[in-house]
């Protein structure tokens, strides 16, 4: 599939207004924003007393059978893991600012995991070298923290997953970096609202497709 930005680059001229709605000329905005991989720093160690998931030793998870309907005990452990993941994410998000590298966000998150005695689930999963995922602007998901510096006007998704007591707690938020253009603010705001609307319809007996229908309808309503 060809992205909207790729199609646009083939037809838009340098002095035209940029397609993103920033109000800048295209040549001063998205034409300059080519994706380049950053330099990934060293693996951060986790104290040996913190229990690891099974995949850390080999990089590949051990596949087993598991009940689709979780027991009350498993659900309660999931709630605890989810609350801790939220707290780690809030602490990491507080470090988001222009000039900060995504590897610095990883350091903050890694130390937040260790202080709470939980394992950062991404670290070692199929060789993933960092403790969180940081996805900047066009990067859809699972961006690897590196020496990439956040710039004023960026958006960055920070994805935190923790492992504790045999379960994972997963959460993510997209943060605004400095002064963000209206189109990006709308994107972040209304995708979050799409999530809330989807949660509202979740109940026993509804088809999973209803969740997607609600999200799609809200996104289209806002031109997304």
């Amino acid at each position: 599939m060809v992205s909207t930005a790729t199609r646009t680059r083939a037809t838009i001229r340098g002095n035209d207004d940029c397609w993103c709605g920033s109000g800048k000329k295209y040549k001063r905005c998205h034409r300059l924003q080519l994706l380049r991989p950053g330099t990934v720093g060293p693996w951060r160690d986790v104290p040996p007393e913190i229990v690891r998931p099974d995949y850390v030793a080999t990089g590949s998870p051990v596949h087993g059978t598991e009940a689709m309907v979780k027991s009350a005990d498993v659900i309660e452990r999931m709630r605890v893991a989810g609350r801790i993941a939220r707290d780690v994410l809030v602490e990491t998000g507080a470090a988001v600012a222009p000039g900060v590298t995504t590897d610095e966000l990883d350091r903050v998150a890694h130390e937040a995991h260790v202080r709470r005695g939980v394992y950062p689930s991404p670290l070692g999963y199929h060789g993933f070298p960092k403790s969180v995922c940081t996805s900047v602007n066009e990067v859809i998901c699972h961006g690897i923290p590196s020496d990439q510096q956040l710039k004023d006007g960026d958006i960055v998704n920070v994805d935190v997953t923790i492992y504790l007591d045999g379960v994972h707690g997963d959460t993510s938020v997209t943060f605004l970096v400095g002064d963000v253009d209206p189109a990006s603010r709308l994107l972040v705001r209304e995708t979050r609202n799409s999530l809330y609307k989807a949660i509202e319809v979740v109940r026993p007996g509804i088809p999973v497709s209803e969740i997607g229908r609600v999200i799609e309808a809200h996104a289209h309503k806002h031109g997304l």
Side-chain angles (χ1 to χ4, degrees), residues 56-78:
V56 173
T58 64
S60 298
V62 176
H63 295 288
T65 57
E66 182 179 346
M68 292 295 291
V69 178
K70 309 303 180 188
S71 68
D73 172 65
V74 171
I75 291 172
E76 182 55 32
R77 283 186 278 139
M78 291 169 66

Side-chain angles (χ1 to χ4, degrees), residues 43 51-61 119-126:
W43 184 294
V51 178
R52 287 128 164 84
D54 57 34
Y55 52 77
V56 173
T58 64
S60 298
Y119 190 87
S121 299
L123 188 62
Y125 182 75
H126 289 293

